[in-house]
Amino acid sequence: MKIEKCVIELANGRFAKFEQESDTDIRVYSRRDFYNAEFLSEDYAETQFHDLVSQDCGWAYFGECIVPKAIRKVEIKLI
C-alpha cells in the first residue's frame, strides 16, 4: 500500500519541518533530507506554502530559512 504526502522545499534546497513555539510563532527547521521534513496533506501543504509566502496569516514564522521554493509530492510505501 502506498500513500501520497507533500513536503515543502525551501529556497536553500532543504525541506521544512514546523514546530509551534507559542500561540503565534512557528519555528521552521531546515532539514537536509526530505524524510526528516514535515509530511503534509496536499491541502495543508498549499496552505503552509502560501502562509510562508505572504506572511500575513497571523502566524509569525522564523528559522534559518523560511522562504518556500516548491511543494514536492512524495510517495510512501507502507510495509
Side-chain angles (χ1 to χ4, degrees):
M1 183 172 158
K2 296 179 184 177
I3 59 172
E4 261 191 15
K5 290 291 182 176
C6 295
V7 294
I8 295 177
E9 183 180 358
L10 300 170
N12 65 359
R14 294 179 175 214
F15 300 93
K17 174 108 178 148
F18 302 97
E19 183 176 306
Q20 188 171 344
E21 295 276 318
S22 71
D23 290 344
T24 58
D25 298 337
I26 295 180
R27 176 182 293 275
V28 180
Y29 291 97
S30 180
R31 301 294 189 205
R32 182 175 309 190
D33 301 308
F34 79 88
Y35 51 82
N36 289 324
E38 190 89 24
F39 291 104
L40 308 166
S41 68
E42 189 171 356
D43 291 340
Y44 193 60
E46 289 177 13
T47 299
Q48 286 287 83
F49 186 89
H50 292 295
D51 286 352
L52 284 167
V53 169
S54 68
Q55 292 291 316
D56 66 353
C57 59
W59 291 101
Y61 291 93
F62 65 97
E64 177 185 328
C65 178
I66 61 170
V67 179
K69 179 179 177 182
I71 296 173
R72 302 286 183 204
K73 288 186 181 180
V74 295
E75 194 172 81
I76 302 167
K77 183 178 178 180
L78 302 176
I79 54 173

